[in-house]
Every structure is written in structure tokens, then in C-alpha cells.
Amino acid sequence: MSDSMKEVVETLDPVSRRLIPANLDSGTLVPLKTTLELRDNLTIGLAYITRAPTRYTNDIVTIARALAGDDAAKNLPHLRRCSKPVDLPPHLKSQFMNEGNGRTIHTGKSNWLYILLGPKDELPYDELLRGLASVDGISDDIFIGIIPVPLLAPTSQVQANLWSQQFWQTVYRKNNPLGPHPSNICRTTSVVSRDASVWMTLAHQVARKSRDAGLGEPIGAVIIKRTIPGRFDSAKNASFKSERSNSNITQAKETTQIVALAGDARWYQQEKVGRTGNPMGHAALRAISMVAQKLVRTENRAENKPAIMEFEAFQDGPLLDDEQVVFDAEHPCPDGYLCHDLELYLTHEPCIMCAMAILHSRMGRIVFRHRMPLTGGMSSEDRGYDTCGNPTTCESGSCGGGRGLGLHWRKELNWSMLGWEWETDTVERLTVDPHLHA
């Protein structure tokens, strides 16, 4: 174990230190892409442009804004409103130089500007023409050109530079309209990567134990609570916050504490022949339910013990010794809402059912190792055909196809979270049927 990892282990709670093995697995975090980042990052539309002497620029921009309205998207804020002839992309420069008085405008001492008016679909041409005709300086020779432009903002400076050469001068405003902010991803990745190996090692460990015990597939889940000194924790109560002193914040270190540990239990009290197992026994669902039970226990609510049944669908009680040890420990932050501000580490990408349960629980972050291209709910990449690698045709025909859902970050949902894939070449793969819902 490296010195840096030893420092990380020192910040762990006693339960975690008791469970982790001597040798920790290592890996690299790769941020998950959103569906918009993969499919809509280059949506091309047509836009009107005109040209005029510099002194008439404000009048023309006022006309364009009046026609486009206050909608920021219609004004294409990621594209520069005005461009000098010398700054046009080469193909536009050669095109417009030969139109009208273009050669005069493109001389070195020209005081003319090209002005972006707005999307072609949003600006009525006749009204635009009447508006430009009211400007004295260009009324005798009105120029209206149509050019292709990117309708969405760039996600990096490199992309902005590329689009400036291909379309029109483009501005990168250090944000990401298609997903989480790049600086947020970078900052959070550095935080999570410090101890991701610890939790992924535990997830793999409980997955193997669950498989060896005959409870389920080799799938494991770990939920932790990370406390960063000096950062406001919405889950902490006001009294605790008021008691903290500045000196304590300065001296305190970041700490992490395990909240729930669960292996897959879909085959517990089940026959494997011709079935997919108990969906309530998926590792992610069991872990989330254990968090909820610990919150209920902290509130000292009276437990409603149901009558003993021959088969219990909700396999959310501890079945392994390691699960019991974690379950018996108190919740580190009992005032929060279920899984708010917690982190989930999984050996496999969760299925759509589990992915939605993770979102509804208000999980803060998710990390998983094995992608499940046919059944996973978090990845955004398009699903390939015959992903299962079956040399013969599957019983239901050619499997795969369609688009990934990318449920970790979708604008249609009222909750989003950061997600990563944990890549490693040093850890044994936990192979499952590619059609399995993890």
C-alpha cells in the first residue's frame, strides 16, 4: 500500500478499516458523458448575416434583437455578433468578396463589419429586409447572406477554435450547456479519485462473497458519506453547524464513512432455472434500502415486524457478515434525505430500474466498473448490435440497438448527479451474462 493510500485509510471510519483488505485495487476514473454531449454537440442551423459600416452597427443590432425577441437562444450568444472581414473563415471570405461591393469592403483599411442577425427560422425575411432598409447607410445596397452556424454552445476552447474556422467566430464561456460544468467535473474527480480504489475494492469483495454464498450474481454496491471540512453540508443540522469553530475547520481533514454495503441477492430462496431472479434483490436496491432502514432506526421509530412469510420479496436485510457489520453501525448523518450527498460505488452499471431508484433516492455521485450495454441505465452511448458476443443468434433475435439513456444527467429529470466509469486492468473481471439486469 502506497504512502498516499495509507493517508487515505487513516481518514476512514473504524468499520471501513476493519473490512478493507491489505491490498487495494487501483483504477482510473472516466467521467460519464451525457446524452446531449454525445448527440447534440454539433447541431447545425442557418443564420442571416449582413454587412455595414461600423457606425451603423448599433442600429442593425437593435433591429435584429427586436425581431428575435428576448430569447437568448435566438440571439446565439455563443457566436460573436460582429466580425471584421479579415476574421471571417477563409471560405466565407472568398465567397463574400465576390458579391456586390465585396472587394472594396475586404481591403486592408476597410471600416465595414459583418453582423450576425440571428437564426433563419426565427427571423421573418420580409420584416428583416424592411428593417435594414430603414438604415440610411446601407439602404441602397442591402446585403443579406445565409451561413451555417452551430446552434449550441461549444464545450471547450478547442471546439470553439475549430468552429471559428469552420463556421463563424465562436466564444467558449467556460461552461457546458450539454452537461455538468467542466470545472465541477475536474474538481470532483480529483476528490473522488483519492479513495475510489478503497470503495471499489470493497464492492468487488462483497460481490465475490455474494456469488460464493449462492445468494446472487457477482455484483456489489457500497454507499459512503464524504465530509469535507469548511464546506456547507445541507444534511447537517443547524446546531452542529453553529458549534463548529474556525480553528476546528482549519485543522480538520476530509473524512469518509461507509453507510451501506450490499451484494446481489437475486437468487436467495430462488431457483435459477428459467428465471431472472428477484428484482428486489439487486445490489443497488438493497444498499439504498439499508440506508433508509438506518435512518428509521436513528429516529427511534417503532418497527412494524411483519409476519414471517415463506418468501420475502424485499431482500433488504443483511445476509453476509460484512453487510451486517456495516448495517449495525450508526448512520453518519441521520438528518439528511435518504441518499442526499452520498456516493454509490458499484461493480456493474445499474439497470434502468435501479438507475431510477438511485435518482429518486437523491444520490450525489455514482461510480461503476463494468458497463452493461444491453441493460444499463447510466451510460449515454448508443447500444451496439450483437453486443452480447453470442456466436449464434439470441433467442429473441439480434440483441442490442437503440440509444443509451444516460439517466445520471438528463434535462427532462428533476435530479442529476455526476458519474464515472472505473477502468482497471489489474482486477479480475466479474463476468455476468450481458443480458443480465444488474
Side-chain angles (χ1 to χ4, degrees), residues 344-382:
L344 173 62
Y345 294 80
L346 290 162
T347 56
H348 296 72
E349 179 184 1
C351 66
I352 298 173
M353 176 189 69
C354 291
M356 289 306 299
I358 292 166
L359 287 173
H360 283 302
S361 72
R362 297 300 188 257
M363 192 71 68
R365 300 162 184 165
I366 182 172
V367 180
F368 62 83
R369 179 189 178 188
H370 296 291
R371 288 198 180 212
M372 301 296 290
L374 296 178
T375 61
M378 290 296 179
S379 297
S380 303
E381 285 75 8
D382 291 347

Side-chain angles (χ1 to χ4, degrees), residues 365-429:
R365 300 162 184 165
I366 182 172
V367 180
F368 62 83
R369 179 189 178 188
H370 296 291
R371 288 198 180 212
M372 301 296 290
L374 296 178
T375 61
M378 290 296 179
S379 297
S380 303
E381 285 75 8
D382 291 347
R383 306 176 189 272
Y385 286 95
D386 298 324
T387 311
C388 66
N390 194 336
T392 59
T393 304
C394 296
E395 294 181 2
S396 57
S398 180
C399 64
R403 291 183 169 181
L405 297 178
L407 294 176
H408 72 287
W409 193 286
R410 289 191 70 109
K411 63 180 182 180
E412 303 94 333
L413 302 176
N414 65 355
W415 186 257
S416 58
M417 58 186 167
L418 297 181
W420 295 266
E421 182 181 3
W422 192 69
E423 293 186 346
T424 179
D425 295 328
T426 61
V427 185
E428 174 194 2
R429 293 185 61 85

Side-chain angles (χ1 to χ4, degrees), residues 31-297:
L32 298 180
K33 293 290 187 179
T34 69
T35 54
L36 290 176
E37 286 175 325
L38 291 176
R39 300 184 189 113
D40 295 331
N41 61 335
L42 183 54
T43 302
I44 302 298
L46 298 177
Y48 286 125
I49 66 168
T50 189
R51 59 193 179 195
T54 306
R55 61 181 180 274
Y56 300 114
T57 301
N58 288 336
D59 296 335
I60 295 174
V61 171
T62 300
I63 293 171
R65 285 178 175 169
L67 293 175
D70 297 330
D71 190 343
K74 295 180 181 179
N75 287 289
L76 303 175
H78 58 287
L79 302 178
R80 292 200 181 279
R81 176 68 75 173
C82 300
S83 176
K84 295 179 180 179
V86 69
D87 294 329
L88 290 178
H91 67 284
L92 293 182
K93 191 182 302 181
S94 60
Q95 175 185 342
F96 297 146
M97 185 181 295
N98 298 318
E99 295 184 12
N101 59 344
R103 291 194 177 276
T104 303
I105 293 171
H106 284 261
T107 59
K109 297 181 180 180
S110 172
N111 64 346
W112 284 61
L113 292 174
Y114 282 87
I115 305 166
L116 182 70
L117 300 173
K120 178 177 178 290
D121 295 338
E122 304 293 342
L123 301 179
Y125 181 82
D126 293 338
E127 294 184 26
L128 181 62
L129 190 61
R130 284 196 297 269
L132 295 178
S134 66
V135 181
D136 294 335
I138 63 172
S139 57
D140 296 334
D141 185 18
I142 297 176
F143 169 83
I144 298 179
I146 299 176
I147 63 171
V149 295
L151 298 180
L152 297 176
T155 58
S156 68
Q157 187 61 55
V158 174
Q159 192 174 53
N161 294 340
L162 181 63
W163 289 356
S164 296
Q165 297 173 11
Q166 294 177 329
F167 304 104
W168 184 265
Q169 282 190 300
T170 308
V171 180
Y172 173 56
R173 303 189 184 279
K174 295 185 178 180
N175 62 359
N176 183 8
L178 312 177
H181 197 286
S183 62
N184 186 20
I185 296 176
C186 182
R187 182 175 61 253
T188 310
T189 300
S190 65
V191 171
V192 175
S193 62
R194 287 199 290 267
D195 56 7
S197 295
V198 174
W199 312 119
M200 291 304 292
T201 299
L202 277 181
H204 281 69
Q205 181 174 275
V206 73
R208 296 187 189 98
K209 290 184 177 181
S210 180
R211 175 195 60 192
D212 296 343
L215 300 177
E217 299 292 331
I219 301 171
V222 177
I223 297 178
I224 69 161
K225 167 65 179 174
R226 186 183 307 276
T227 303
I228 301 177
R231 172 186 158 195
F232 175 72
D233 190 341
S234 60
K236 296 288 185 183
N237 57 39
S239 62
F240 176 78
K241 181 184 175 184
S242 63
E243 292 173 2
R244 295 187 304 175
S245 65
N246 292 332
S247 60
N248 289 337
I249 293 175
T250 302
Q251 297 174 1
K253 295 182 178 180
E254 175 186 315
T255 59
T256 50
Q257 185 169 344
I258 190 169
V259 184
L261 176 70
D264 186 80
R266 71 186 64 202
W267 302 120
Y268 182 61
Q269 297 180 335
Q270 291 255 5
E271 292 289 341
K272 284 190 176 183
V273 179
R275 299 182 182 180
T276 58
N278 179 11
M280 296 294 99
H282 289 194
L285 291 186
R286 297 187 67 231
I288 293 173
S289 181
M290 290 179 187
V291 174
Q293 292 178 71
K294 294 175 79 167
L295 289 173
V296 171
R297 186 175 66 198

